[in-house]
Structure formats: structure tokens, C-alpha cells
Amino acid sequence: MKNIIFIAPPAAGKGTVSDFLVSNYNYEHISTGDLLREEIKSGSSLGKEIDNIISKGGLVSDEFMIKLMEEKLAKLDKNKAFILDGFPRTIKQAEKLDEMLITNKVTNNIVIYLDISLDDALGRVMGRVICPKCKRSYNLTNEKLKPIKDNICDNCGVELEKRSDDTEETFKVRFDSYLENTRPILDYYKDKGILKWVDATMNIDNMFQIIVNEAKND
Ligand code: AMP
């Protein structure tokens, strides 16, 4: 399978597709949001700074994110395909990622854009809950993405949580930041000829299938 770089507005379904690919195709899932939330949970002073940024819907600095990703990519198991979920989020990060992929001799990559409108994404964000342990994300507004037992993770049996930045107010800031900082990356990858567009509002099983077909090696 190819490595997948997801570019999408918040709550388009990057996490849900990633969970599916990890379970069924043995992908390594690198979610920068999960990594940052882990740092926040550790209670460190760095975590407090990050929390301050994330809870307002802002972006953590390019410098910090690039360093985090460099460390992560250097440690990757080269026999496994990986998913980048949440990185790059700016043109600067996209440019640096190209350099990192070359340095680490990582080829066979595709970029998948999950397209969703602000209203649809807002609907999803309001119903989203995540497992604090395995990070799986659920959606209470979608029959197929609900946990079996109310508010309990199917995998871990622990109580699900709402993300502190999944409020209507913060979501709008995040969506605006996506339009301003992240959306321009699409042209960057379109020019390189590796961008695949996927409608993130279609039936979820069809969407999984389309993404799997795109990710299969030719
Ligand atoms: P996510 O879980 O991908 O929605 O990310 C949650 C939050 O983490 C984002 O709203 C940003 O504040 C921060 N974040 C995650 N990835 C990045 C990144 N690549 N660059 C800057 N900030 C990021």
C-alpha cells in the first residue's frame, strides 16, 4: 500500500478513515493532533502552552511541528505504510515534509483531500467523541460510527471523551484557519500530480473502498 497524506478540514473524517486502514491494512497512523493531546495530558509546561493554542483553535508553530515530525519519521518502521493525519497544515510544513521524505528515502506517497462543507463538518464535530486510550473516534450522530455501548469505547471499555476544541465557536476558528493556511497546500500537491480528491460526505463504506483503491500499489 502507498503512504497516505491526508489534507482535510477539521472533522472531515481523517481519523475515522485512518482507524479503518489501521485495522484492515496494517497502516501506521501518525496523528499530530493525538501526539499534541498526549503532551497536554502529560501535564508538562510544554503541554500547557500547546493546550492554550489548541483550545483556541490556533495552529502550533511550524518550527515545533516540523521537529516533531522529523523525529517521528526517523523512527518509522520502513516495512509498514503510514498515514499522516494532520501534517502538513501549512505550505512551509508541506515543503519541509518533502525534504524529510527524501532524507528518509520514503517514496510511494499519495495525498488524499477529503472534501466537506463547513456545515457538514460542524454537524460532525458536535457529535464526535474519542477514546482517550486508543484514540478511536466515534460519532453519535452516525449509526455506523456510534459505540456499541453508550459512551464506552468498543475496543478499550473506557469512557469516551469530547475534545476540548470541539465546540461550535472553536470549530469556526479552526475551519477558517484551514481555509487560510491548509487549503493552499492542495495546489502545491496538485502541481506535483499526486493529489486525489474524495467526497467526504458519501456513504462511509464507499469512501473507504475508494481510498483503499487509490492507496493500492499499481
Ligand atoms: P487534529 O486532531 O488534527 O484536529 O488537531 C488538533 C489541533 O492540533 C489543531 O487544531 C491544531 O491546533 C493542532 N495541530 C495539529 N496538527 C498541527 C500541525 N501540523 N500544525 C499546527 N498545528 C497542528
Side-chain angles (χ1 to χ4, degrees):
M1 301 293 281
K2 294 174 184 152
N3 302 309
I4 300 178
I5 299 163
F6 277 124
I7 305 291
K14 299 188 296 290
T16 304
V17 182
S18 300
D19 290 344
F20 169 82
L21 292 169
V22 169
S23 303
N24 296 282
Y25 292 89
N26 198 28
Y27 267 92
E28 169 108 24
H29 180 206
I30 305 170
S31 158
T32 44
D34 284 349
L35 293 171
L36 296 172
R37 283 184 286 276
E38 281 299 304
E39 189 64 48
I40 294 173
K41 277 221 165 130
S42 78
S44 66
S45 59
L46 173 64
K48 290 197 176 82
E49 272 176 52
I50 294 172
D51 191 20
N52 217 358
I53 299 170
I54 293 190
S55 58
K56 291 193 188 102
L59 287 184
V60 175
S61 76
D62 281 339
E63 201 189 0
F64 181 82
M65 294 310 302
I66 288 163
K67 196 158 162 278
L68 184 72
M69 193 50 60
E70 274 170 352
E71 286 166 6
K72 210 61 206 169
L73 280 181
K75 282 195 224 134
L76 271 186
D77 175 354
K78 295 273 188 313
N79 297 313
K80 250 174 140 181
F82 62 81
I83 301 166
L84 289 191
D85 163 0
F87 189 97
R89 258 185 163 93
T90 64
I91 291 276
K92 172 97 186 280
Q93 292 180 15
E95 288 169 350
K96 277 283 177 189
L97 177 61
D98 276 348
E99 290 174 22
M100 288 181 224
L101 294 176
I102 292 169
T103 308
N104 289 285
K105 299 192 175 57
V106 177
T107 51
N108 205 18
N109 311 309
I110 50 167
V111 180
I112 296 185
Y113 167 46
L114 297 180
D115 189 12
I116 189 168
S117 70
L118 182 138
D119 282 347
D120 284 333
L122 178 59
R124 287 185 186 181
V125 96
M126 298 317 283
R128 169 159 69 186
V129 279
I130 54 171
C131 171
K133 202 166 166 209
C134 73
K135 319 295 176 211
R136 178 167 165 189
S137 84
Y138 295 84
N139 207 298
L140 307 178
T141 60
N142 181 324
E143 280 308 317
K144 289 198 165 161
L145 298 176
K146 273 185 178 170
I148 298 166
K149 273 198 217 150
D150 264 3
N151 223 32
I152 300 292
C153 176
D154 297 352
N155 300 337
C156 312
V158 301
E159 209 166 310
L160 300 171
E161 291 176 352
K162 201 154 175 58
R163 280 172 45 170
S164 65
D165 56 345
D166 276 351
T167 63
E168 184 164 350
E169 199 189 353
T170 307
F171 174 78
K172 290 198 168 135
V173 178
R174 286 157 62 205
F175 203 93
D176 281 346
S177 160
Y178 161 78
L179 292 177
E180 188 186 331
N181 300 295
T182 311
R183 212 168 191 287
I185 302 177
L186 295 178
D187 285 333
Y188 178 83
Y189 286 122
K190 214 186 277 168
D191 292 345
K192 289 179 178 283
I194 52 168
L195 182 72
K196 308 284 172 196
W197 177 92
V198 175
D199 175 1
T201 59
M202 71 169 79
N203 167 290
I204 194 157
D205 294 321
N206 293 348
M207 181 169 81
F208 287 160
Q209 205 46 56
I210 288 173
I211 292 174
V212 166
N213 290 342
E214 293 289 1
K216 275 192 178 141
N217 287 318
D218 307 318

